[in-house]
């Protein structure tokens, strides 16, 4: 394989890379899929796997009137017109086919879908879908297709093989330097598809790109931004460098760490669990109506807080009365963290709690007192509506939360054929990029639109593999 000129080297066997490789291989392209990790799947191992699409058979069955233009309009409404118009149109136009294709391949759809999802700014109509096992349901389909293609010798795959560098070949195409264990090798290829994901596993790169925001992310370590760095060294352009919005919010699994266990995150979505606690910033001031129904509004308020941080404050009575704050975490497990993790603090009075947390004692005491007045009067100063009970029975508790980076926002600039653009705005021939390496802001602008990372990753992978990549000899399409 090292001597022959491949049709395509696909880098990254995740959400975007697997469909690219499988579809291209079925057309007869000579494809090598390389994956740095020991297993395929990338972020699908942890992703919620929410997808959004219109014109699907499931929507039709439910009588939901919807089309790609309505999806585009909705994303543009949510993002205040900041999504990339061409890429958004490409993704939205083909997303319905992606969902129907997944269903044809045996995808196990959750029976309630499509729905309006509330974890991000909601769409106007039900067009969000997920599998019964979240991202793993998508991976189950992709893995089966990949295994079949490998079994049929339609493509080659190398696990634990990392792309280290790319050089343009004099006559066109690329020479790729690969590292498998300690062994270096090169391959020559007409086209390269960078499907290497985001950089949510790389705190230094994240800080460099966002201009110093702290990272807290559930992304796997494989999301190290190495593919992005390679493309930037070749002259690729970074788009949306200044766009960033934290998701509300999480606690690092380990003190000082930047990894968040998303499966056991705290449940701060008011539509799922109306808040019993108050949120105060590092000074001790409330800064948001904790049950504001708009995720976008809550996220923008959080972005203004130093270190993207706040304390979730409650009292003994809330501890006993309220539904569990953390998903899949019994109360006693949460309690065991107090005294063992600096993000968890407990004290007999609000003032002592503030001192333990490094807040201003008078400001925290005032925040609690004003909240309690609001509960008594049925009217909160910040407009919060869910006011279940006063916070006045010690001991008092505080859990330090931080804004979460669910997916990276900045990424490579590409044209409508998903070719990486060089410094002069011209496409670098034969170099494509898809998935989170494009940055989430390309598809949902400076806000979150549900499903607009996973669905475009799958959809662009399918489009590249089915038609955009050039193949020397074509078989019948998948
Ligand atoms: C907890 C969580 C929940 C999420 N929920 C949703 C959701 O509900 N809906 C949504 O739309 N989005 C969601 N996202 C985001 C979405 O899952 C990702 O953006 C998307 O899956 C990324 O797909 P990808 O193919 O670009 O990257 P990945 O799936 O991460 O695949 C990239 C692959 O490339 C490999 N790789 C990296 N560098 C190299 C290299 N140099 N050489 C070889 N291989 C390399 C990696 O090992 C990895 O396997 C979520 C993200 C997280 C972390």
């Amino acid at each position: 394989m090292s001597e022959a000129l491949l049709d395509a080297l696909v880098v990254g066997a995740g959400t975007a890379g697997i469909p690219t490789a499988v579809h291209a291989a079925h057309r007869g392209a000579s494809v090598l899929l390389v994956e740095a990790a020991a297993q395929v799947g990338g972020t699908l191992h942890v992703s919620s796997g929410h997808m959004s699409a219109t014109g699907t058979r499931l929507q039709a069955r439910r009588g939901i009137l919807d089309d790609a233009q309505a999806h585009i309009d909705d994303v543009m409404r949510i993002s205040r017109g900041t999504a990339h118009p061409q890429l958004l149109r490409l993704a939205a136009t083909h997303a319905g086919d992606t969902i129907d294709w997944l269903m044809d391949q045996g995808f196990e759809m959750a029976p309630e879908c499509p729905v309006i999802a509330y974890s991000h700014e909601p769409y106007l109509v039900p067009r969000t879908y997920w599998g019964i096992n979240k991202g793993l349901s998508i991976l189950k389909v992709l893995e089966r297709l990949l295994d079949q293609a490998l079994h049929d010798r339609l493509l080659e795959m190398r696990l634990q093989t990392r792309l280290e560098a790319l050089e343009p070949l004099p006559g066109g195409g690329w020479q790729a330097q690969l590292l498998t264990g300690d062994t270096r090798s090169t391959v020559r290829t007409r086209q390269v598809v960078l499907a290497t994901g985001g950089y949510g596993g790389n705190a230094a790169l994240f800080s460099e790109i966002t201009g110093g925001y702290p990272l807290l992310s559930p992304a796997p370590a494989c999301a190290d931004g190495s593919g992005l760095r390679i493309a930037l060294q070749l002259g690729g352009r970074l788009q949306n460098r200044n766009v960033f919005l934290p998701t509300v919010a999480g606690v690092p699994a380990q003190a000082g760490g930047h990894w968040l266990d998303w499966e056991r995150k705290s449940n701060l979505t008011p539509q799922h669990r109306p808040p019993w606690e108050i949120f105060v910033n590092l000074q001790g001031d409330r800064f948001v109506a904790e049950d504001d129904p708009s995720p976008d509004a809550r996220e923008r308020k959080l972005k203004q807080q130093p270190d993207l941080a706040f304390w979730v404050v409650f009292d003994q009575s809330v501890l006993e009365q309220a539904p569990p704050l953390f998903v899949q975490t019994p109360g006693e497990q949460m309690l065991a963290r107090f005294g063992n993790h600096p993000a968890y603090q407990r004290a007999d009075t609000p003032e002592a709690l503030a001192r333990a947390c490094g807040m201003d004692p008078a400001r925290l005491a005032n925040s609690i007192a004003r909240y309690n007045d609001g509960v008594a009067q049925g009217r909160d100063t910040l407009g919060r509506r869910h006011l279940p009970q006063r916070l006045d029975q010690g001991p008092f508790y505080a859990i330090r939360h931080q804004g979460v980076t669910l997916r990276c926002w900045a990424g490579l600039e590409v044209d409508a054929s998903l070719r990486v653009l060089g410094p002069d705005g011209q496409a670098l021939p034969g170099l494509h990029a898809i998935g989170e390496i494009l940055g989430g802001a390309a598809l949902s602008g400076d806000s979150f639109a549900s499903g607009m990372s996973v669905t475009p990753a799958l959809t662009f992978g399918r489009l590249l593999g089915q038609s955009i990549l050039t193949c020397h000899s074509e078989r019948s399409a998948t």
Side-chain angles (χ1 to χ4, degrees):
M1 180 77 73
S2 63
E3 292 306 311
L5 194 62
L6 293 165
D7 279 325
L9 171 69
V10 179
V11 188
T15 321
I18 298 176
T20 311
V22 167
H23 280 291
H26 274 278
R27 277 167 65 204
S30 53
V31 179
L32 172 62
L33 174 62
V34 293
E35 167 53 53
Q39 59 175 359
V40 304
T43 304
L44 286 176
H45 288 279
V46 294
S47 178
S48 309
H50 290 195
M51 299 175 280
S52 55
T54 66
T56 61
R57 294 196 296 264
L58 281 173
Q59 274 192 329
R61 217 173 288 159
R62 299 256 176 104
I64 299 165
L65 294 176
D66 199 10
D67 60 24
Q69 187 59 50
H71 192 181
I72 293 165
D73 292 345
D74 229 359
V75 174
M76 284 302 193
R77 171 185 63 81
I78 289 169
S79 70
R80 302 164 183 82
T82 55
H84 188 298
Q86 279 177 310
L87 293 181
L88 173 59
R89 180 164 296 282
L90 190 66
T93 304
H94 297 278
D97 289 343
T98 297
I99 299 293
D100 286 346
W101 169 77
L102 279 175
M103 297 296 286
D104 289 342
Q105 304 302 325
F107 178 70
E108 295 166 306
M109 182 72 76
E112 64 270 27
C113 293
V115 298
I116 296 180
Y118 291 97
S119 41
H120 302 305
E121 201 64 20
Y123 289 129
L124 298 175
V125 295
R127 64 166 76 96
T128 298
Y129 312 75
W130 53 76
I132 55 170
N133 212 4
K134 304 180 183 176
L136 291 175
S137 296
I138 302 172
L139 181 56
K140 191 172 170 187
V141 170
L142 297 185
E143 245 182 326
R144 195 179 49 72
L145 293 171
L146 178 61
D147 287 348
Q148 189 64 51
L150 289 168
H151 176 267
D152 295 343
R153 297 177 188 278
L154 299 182
L155 63 84
E156 185 188 339
M157 178 170 74
R158 295 188 203 163
L159 292 175
Q160 293 176 288
T161 298
R162 167 175 290 279
L163 175 72
E164 295 237 295
L166 284 174
E167 288 164 40
L169 288 169
W174 297 90
Q175 173 155 294
Q177 289 179 25
L178 304 176
L179 184 64
T180 310
D182 294 334
T183 309
R184 291 188 186 282
S185 61
T186 58
V187 294
R188 296 183 313 130
T189 177
R190 292 184 181 85
Q191 299 154 107
V192 176
V193 179
L194 293 173
T196 49
Y199 44 90
N202 185 337
L205 182 59
F206 177 84
S207 174
E208 183 187 321
I209 289 178
T210 60
Y213 280 109
L215 177 68
L216 178 64
S217 171
C222 69
D224 64 1
S226 55
L228 177 62
R229 275 201 194 281
I230 290 169
L232 295 177
Q233 278 157 13
L234 292 168
R237 307 201 308 188
L238 192 68
Q239 61 181 343
N240 297 313
R241 176 185 280 274
N242 298 318
V243 181
F244 169 65
L245 199 57
T247 295
V248 181
V251 186
Q254 290 186 336
H258 58 77
W259 184 73
L260 165 75
D261 183 349
W262 190 247
E263 280 296 299
R264 288 170 191 78
K265 66 178 185 297
S266 37
N267 188 352
L268 303 183
T269 303
Q271 289 89 347
H272 298 163
R273 178 189 180 276
W276 290 57
E277 305 80 7
I278 59 170
F279 302 170
V280 297
N281 63 19
L282 299 185
Q283 281 90 45
D285 298 326
R286 284 180 70 211
F287 60 93
V288 66
E290 293 83 354
D291 63 354
D292 188 323
S294 164
D296 186 82
R298 284 182 278 122
E299 287 159 359
R300 281 175 205 283
K301 294 263 172 59
L302 173 55
K303 192 180 175 187
Q304 294 164 8
Q305 306 312 313
D307 297 339
L308 302 176
F310 64 96
W311 293 90
V312 172
V313 174
F314 52 99
D315 70 352
Q316 181 65 26
S317 176
V318 165
L319 180 73
E320 289 165 12
Q321 307 293 326
L325 179 60
F326 287 83
V327 178
Q328 293 189 31
T329 309
E332 59 275 16
Q333 257 182 44
M334 182 188 82
L335 272 179
R337 295 178 193 149
F338 288 87
N340 291 312
H341 190 308
Y344 295 77
Q345 296 293 337
R346 173 173 41 196
D348 287 339
T349 64
E351 289 80 0
L353 183 69
R355 280 190 290 276
C357 299
M359 289 184 254
D360 180 328
R363 287 167 92 152
L364 178 62
N366 184 47
S367 294
I368 293 176
R370 292 184 71 189
Y371 171 74
N372 287 343
D373 288 347
V375 173
Q377 292 162 13
R379 183 149 18 107
D380 179 56
T381 47
L382 293 177
R384 168 171 166 164
R385 276 152 290 185
H386 187 249
L387 299 164
Q389 59 182 53
R390 295 160 55 87
L391 303 176
D392 57 7
Q393 294 180 39
F396 292 84
Y397 300 81
I399 304 176
R400 190 183 194 274
H401 281 65
Q402 187 182 315
V404 172
T405 295
L406 205 48
R407 49 107 164 110
C408 298
W409 295 74
L412 285 178
E413 198 172 344
V414 292
D415 66 10
S417 296
L418 306 168
R419 293 177 302 179
V420 176
L421 298 184
D424 53 0
Q426 298 296 309
L428 298 174
L431 184 62
H432 296 267
I434 50 170
E436 197 174 322
I437 195 173
L438 304 184
L443 277 310
S444 71
D446 74 351
S447 187
F448 264 109
S450 165
M452 286 308 284
S453 296
V454 165
T455 334
L458 294 167
T459 302
F460 290 172
R462 298 187 70 228
L463 289 173
L464 270 184
Q466 285 178 323
S467 57
I468 297 175
L469 291 177
T470 52
C471 304
H472 265 193
S473 57
E474 300 215 353
R475 295 190 194 100
S476 60
T478 319

